[in-house]
Amino acid sequence: MANATDHLWMHFTRMASYSAGEVPTIVRGEGAYVWDAQGRRYLDGLAGLFVVNAGHGRTELAEAAAKQAGELAYFPLWSYAHPKAIELAERIAALTPGDLNRIFFTTGGSEAVEAAWKLARAYFKRTGKPNKYKVISRYIAYHGTSMGALSITGLPGIKSDFEPLVPGAIKVPNTNFYRAPEHGDDHEAFGRWAADEIGRAIEREGPDTVAAVFLEPVQNSGGCFPPPPGYFERVREICDAYDVLLVSDEVICSWGRLGEYFGAVRYGYQPDIITTAKGITSGYAPLGAMIASDRLMEPFLTETGMFAHGVTFGGHPVSCAVALANLEVFAREDLVGHVRANEDAFRATLEKLYDLPIVGDVRGDGYFYGIELVKDKSTRETFTEAESERLLRGFLSTALFQAGLYCRADDRGDPVIQLAPPLIAEQQHFDEIEQILRTVLTEAWTRL
Ligand SMILES: Cc1ncc(COP(=O)(O)O)c(C=O)c1O
């Protein structure tokens, strides 16, 4: 499509890079594959954007959307309810860990994160600790783009244009064990150190000023950092000790991505709030949610009280109907169990790539992996800015796509390739991913 750049302003896109070339235009999807306007097929190694968990081409999800739009296209959740939101909230409450049973719908992840920070602030204002407003999150972590969520995000490169941001967003180290500044030879000690850094930050800022800690179960940005053993257990202790809310940002890590409905369940910790979006509908309609407990809702239950927050399309009837149909597919096909049964095979297949000199680290869990690329495996030396630019932007992204694999080559932290295929993926897809990566990474090495 020749005129894609005439009017369409694409997200996080160097528009100028398309001035001479054609914008890849995807027109159709089926299972783990998508097709472009020229009829070329690609393995969707990123489930769109960590979204299409049930896979492409599910007509029953499309039908659920059509049926709902025909019945009741729209009604707000502002003082009114509609059946699909009620049913979906009940369904989600039954899947969440512990006492998380209050579902505040949004249209996506940033809005869920925004809502969580606002809830944390309002909750403490109403419970006698009005100075608790700050939030702690981790270096390189991505939590969204609205001003609050962007402030929580730890990526300077996507923040600087928009500063000053919301005050009170503090950063602590992430759990990148491959590049651990301390305890690089001891996973557990590193986890303890990284968790204690949160405690130290709370102490530095003043416990009376900190409202919440935002953490992903597996940190996406930087290339899939799973939590070290004991990390979340220690974070939970710290949050309890200082009366700070633990927000599990599961915009990516819920709905089977890590082999459980929620990442917190996978790693056995109890958050105070979960934020989610993306795979909740497998992308057949937009939806997000902030999930809290009775305890956090209680201060808003006075006669004239309310959580003064909302968005027009939060909990849209069509999206809720699609989410319910999506969860039916999950249950019928046991997609979550499928991930658990196949995650070791996925890991083992990706780990074959360790024989390439450019592959430094393969890390992740479930169907969520990052492959860190290095210049020197023995020293873990990474690429310079210019090499990274040439390698990732100049060659890898395009070459992988041309070879039939859609995935992410990212250098917001160290250079990584990220993979998060639809949850229906199995060995044949893992093999295809591995083979394309092998060919293209081998070629990349010769170009350095
Ligand atoms: C952990 C996390 N939080 C928040 C967001 C923002 O979600 P959205 O793009 O739906 O606003 C994302 C998006 O990728 C995310 O990965």
Side-chain angles (χ1 to χ4, degrees):
M1 293 185 192
N3 57 356
T5 55
D6 288 354
H7 301 289
L8 180 64
W9 199 335
M10 288 176 282
H11 299 206
F12 281 112
T13 300
R14 294 179 176 181
M15 293 296 289
S17 69
Y18 287 123
S19 57
E22 207 172 85
V23 178
T25 305
I26 303 302
V27 296
R28 189 168 75 80
E30 185 66 42
Y33 294 94
V34 292
W35 282 260
D36 71 9
Q38 285 74 37
R40 287 182 294 244
R41 191 183 85 157
Y42 305 89
L43 201 161
D44 183 359
L46 208 61
L49 200 53
F50 316 97
V51 166
V52 191
N53 288 11
H56 296 274
R58 298 269 190 183
T59 48
E60 74 181 274
L61 300 194
E63 280 157 13
K67 182 162 179 288
Q68 182 58 46
E71 215 167 273
L72 174 72
Y74 176 72
F75 215 77
L77 293 179
W78 301 40
S79 300
Y80 294 81
H82 55 77
K84 293 294 192 253
I86 299 169
E87 197 183 332
L88 181 61
E90 186 181 5
R91 185 98 188 235
I92 293 172
L95 295 171
T96 51
D99 60 354
L100 296 181
N101 65 346
R102 296 290 185 170
I103 324 296
F104 185 95
F105 287 117
T106 65
T107 68
S110 299
E111 281 177 5
V113 168
E114 206 72 37
W117 192 1
K118 288 181 79 172
L119 176 63
R121 284 181 170 213
Y123 169 80
F124 284 117
K125 272 209 165 65
R126 283 161 184 262
T127 53
K129 297 185 174 177
N131 296 328
K132 273 169 118 42
Y133 71 93
K134 294 178 189 169
V135 283
I136 291 174
S137 56
R138 299 183 290 197
Y139 296 133
I140 329 272
Y142 182 87
H143 292 283
T145 49
S146 54
M147 291 302 257
L150 185 63
S151 307
I152 298 173
T153 289
L155 289 158
I158 63 165
K159 298 170 73 162
S160 53
D161 269 353
F162 311 107
E163 285 167 344
L165 295 175
V166 182
I170 315 304
K171 301 297 172 291
V172 294
N174 56 46
T175 59
N176 183 355
F177 186 60
Y178 187 63
R179 302 212 172 270
E182 307 249 348
H183 309 292
D185 54 352
D186 183 342
H187 226 142
E188 223 155 291
F190 171 65
R192 175 85 186 192
W193 170 82
D196 283 344
E197 281 293 299
I198 293 173
R200 284 187 276 274
I202 295 172
E203 280 290 345
R204 255 192 327 271
E205 293 298 318
D208 293 350
T209 70
V210 181
V213 177
F214 281 72
L215 306 172
E216 291 164 270
V218 171
Q219 181 175 321
N220 166 45
S221 202
C224 297
F225 306 141
Y231 177 77
F232 274 111
E233 206 180 326
R234 180 71 187 134
V235 171
R236 182 69 265 178
E237 280 172 11
I238 291 166
C239 287
D240 288 343
Y242 293 110
D243 196 14
V244 167
L245 302 178
L246 173 55
V247 182
S248 192
D249 185 356
E250 309 210 5
V251 168
I252 291 176
C253 291
S254 44
W255 314 115
R257 180 56 55 203
L258 297 174
E260 293 286 350
Y261 278 99
F262 292 95
V265 173
R266 162 121 201 183
Y267 300 117
Y269 64 93
Q270 181 59 46
D272 298 296
I273 299 176
I274 289 178
T275 49
T276 186
K278 294 193 187 258
I280 190 170
T281 60
S282 286
Y284 287 74
L287 187 68
M290 174 193 65
I291 308 172
S293 60
D294 287 344
R295 175 174 76 97
L296 294 190
M297 193 190 209
E298 205 270 333
F300 303 94
L301 297 179
T302 58
E303 202 175 329
T304 55
M306 67 167 161
F307 179 43
H309 183 62
V311 282
T312 300
F313 285 153
H316 192 285
V318 171
S319 301
C320 289
V322 168
L324 282 165
N326 183 46
L327 292 180
E328 279 303 315
V329 171
F330 266 66
R332 195 175 63 231
E333 298 182 13
D334 188 19
L335 287 181
V336 169
H338 178 81
V339 172
R340 272 201 307 275
N342 289 278
E343 65 174 338
D344 289 346
F346 187 34
R347 175 190 289 273
T349 308
L350 294 178
E351 283 182 344
K352 287 187 194 170
L353 295 166
Y354 269 132
D355 64 356
L356 300 179
I358 198 171
V359 171
D361 196 25
V362 176
R363 56 189 178 235
D365 268 327
Y367 275 19
F368 189 31
Y369 273 85
I371 298 175
E372 181 165 339
L373 307 179
V374 289
K375 201 153 83 176
D376 185 330
K377 245 173 144 92
S378 58
T379 62
R380 302 187 181 182
E381 184 186 351
T382 192
F383 301 97
T384 63
E385 198 68 25
E387 286 165 339
S388 198
E389 174 72 28
R390 207 170 69 229
L391 184 75
L392 282 148
R393 308 251 185 200
F395 174 69
L396 272 178
S397 302
T398 317
L400 287 167
F401 191 65
Q402 281 170 353
L405 175 62
Y406 165 75
C407 61
R408 174 183 269 183
D410 193 9
D411 64 349
R412 291 180 296 180
D414 295 302
V416 285
I417 291 182
Q418 278 191 291
L419 297 158
L423 310 186
I424 50 163
E426 45 198 35
Q427 191 61 50
Q428 73 186 82
H429 305 107
F430 308 155
D431 288 338
E432 194 177 336
I433 289 171
E434 192 268 341
Q435 278 149 27
I436 294 174
L437 285 173
R438 176 171 296 281
T439 309
V440 174
L441 290 175
T442 304
E443 163 81 15
W445 186 251
T446 66
R447 288 170 170 254
L448 274 172

